[in-house]
Structure formats: C-alpha cells, structure tokens
Amino acid sequence: MLPAGFIVVAILLRLASGASYFRAVWQGKAQPSLVSWLSWSLTALIIFIIQLIKGAGPEAFVTLTIGLSPIAVCCVAIYKRAYVTTFSRSDKWCVVLTVIGILLWLISKNPLMALIACIFADIFSEIPTILKSYRAPHTEHATAYAISIVSMAVTLLTISDWKLTNWLFTAYILGVNVTIVLTITTLSKMRLSRWAPKRSGVLAYEEIESPTTRQ
C-alpha cells in the first residue's frame, strides 16, 4: 500500500490525463463523443457526492477530477467544432439507459445502490466511445487514457478503508480505461488487418464505418 499522501500524485495524474486529451482536441488530433464525455462528468460528480456522504477519504477528490475534466474537454470540443456529431440508434439507447441509471440514483435511498445505479448509467455512456475507438481510432487519444490508468492504480493503492463505496468506482474507471486503450491500440488494428487483404491500395480508417465528424 502507498502512503495517503500519494493521493495528490493520483489527482495530478488525472488532471494531466484531462489536459492531454484537452490538448489533443485543441490541436485537432482527437474528436470526443459528447454523449460519452457529458455523461462521464455527470455520473462522476454524482458519485463524488455519494462518496462524501459515505465518509470516503481523500480518494473522493480523484473522483471529483474525473467529473471536472470532461467538462473542459466538451467545452474545447464545442469551441473547436471537433466532436462526433452522429447520433445513431446505439447512441440514443445509451442516452436512454444512462438517464435510467441517473433516475435510479435519484430514487435510491441507499448510497451503495445509488453508486451502483450511477455506474450502470456510466457503463452505457462508455459505449459510444468504445465503438468509436474500434471503428475510428484516429479520432481518439490513447495517451490520456493510459495516464488515467496510472492515476486509478495509484488511487487504489492509497485506500485504507476498503468499503465498497470507496473503491468500486475507481476500479471500474481503471477497467474502462484499460478497455479503451486496448481497443485503440490493438483491437482496431486487428480489425484493419482483416479488411486490408480485401481492398487494393492503402485502407484508411476513415473508410471503415468511421463516424461523421465536424472539423
């Protein structure tokens, strides 16, 4: 286990993760899914409140940074007009299920059940980004998610009170970030390699079901 003071390192790493993605969007190297990023902010801020209610330690402030970073990313994406504009059937279902999860949080009187409801909501908000990472990895920025992985790992190693409400969301975010990084760096390339022999010349990612984006 790490000393409690290392939570500052985790917070700084998470801020660095958000700053890395912010910079990528600003430079036109990433195009976030607003469906995902807006939902991530909302669910993380709700879970921060739940953690405070349950008496969580400093690790709760890592959750706070998880909620604040997407707001900055969404603002720069809208300003630069660099975001995914498609609103597919799967996106609509993800929004509906995310809202259901948040409504479950609102009616729940049990903090643990409220936490689970918010994670349920967040799971569906992840889907648009995971699909985009698989179909159009050039619109994502793996470095930001990789930094977040380190931040979540450090956070888990600083926890001394292992109540479920203290570590569940952090562990979940760790798993999500690992999934996205693997999708961008490995699964998408495997998909491309399956297509390449069937097409002549160089096959660009944009030609394979890439979402419509605004520059």
Side-chain angles (χ1 to χ4, degrees):
M1 302 298 292
L2 294 174
F6 270 80
I7 201 66
V8 176
V9 175
I11 291 172
L12 291 175
L13 283 169
R14 180 63 202 190
L15 291 174
S17 170
S20 178
Y21 203 99
F22 183 99
R23 181 181 179 185
V25 175
W26 184 267
Q27 295 177 340
K29 297 178 180 178
Q31 297 166 334
S33 164
L34 294 186
V35 171
S36 290
W37 284 78
L38 289 172
S39 297
W40 292 347
S41 178
L42 181 59
T43 53
L45 292 175
I46 291 172
I47 290 172
F48 171 66
I49 295 171
I50 294 170
Q51 289 177 331
L52 290 183
I53 292 173
K54 290 295 290 181
E59 63 273 4
F61 291 96
V62 177
T63 304
L64 177 61
T65 61
I66 293 173
L68 294 178
S69 297
I71 296 175
V73 168
C74 288
C75 287
V76 71
I78 292 170
Y79 175 74
K80 299 290 286 187
R81 297 176 67 83
Y83 53 89
V84 174
T85 58
T86 56
F87 201 58
S88 64
R89 182 179 299 178
S90 62
D91 287 345
K92 293 175 183 177
W93 273 111
C94 289
V95 170
V96 169
L97 293 168
T98 299
V99 171
I100 290 173
I102 293 171
L103 291 175
L104 290 174
W105 164 72
L106 289 172
I107 65 176
S108 176
K109 296 181 180 179
N110 183 307
L112 178 57
M113 293 306 298
L115 173 64
I116 293 172
C118 282
I119 291 178
F120 168 85
D122 201 82
I123 287 171
F124 290 101
S125 70
E126 304 285 351
I127 293 174
T129 291
I130 292 174
L131 289 176
K132 184 166 73 71
S133 299
Y134 182 63
R135 295 170 176 169
H138 65 284
T139 66
E140 278 299 335
H141 185 56
T143 301
Y145 298 106
I147 296 172
S148 184
I149 289 172
V150 180
S151 174
M152 297 304 102
V154 171
T155 302
L156 289 172
L157 290 173
T158 62
I159 295 175
S160 57
D161 183 358
W162 285 86
K163 289 188 297 187
L164 203 58
T165 50
N166 289 354
W167 65 265
L168 182 60
F169 183 67
T170 303
Y172 159 72
I173 293 295
L174 175 62
V176 167
N177 286 323
V178 169
T179 299
I180 293 175
V181 169
L182 288 177
T183 302
I184 295 170
T185 61
T186 305
L187 296 180
S188 62
K189 292 181 180 180
M190 292 172 61
R191 180 174 185 268
L192 179 61
S193 67
R194 289 199 301 269
W195 276 75
K198 301 177 182 179
R199 300 284 299 275
S200 58
V202 177
L203 182 63
Y205 281 118
E206 290 90 339
E207 297 174 354
I208 309 176
E209 301 176 24
S210 69
T212 304
T213 54
R214 269 173 130 169
Q215 303 295 338

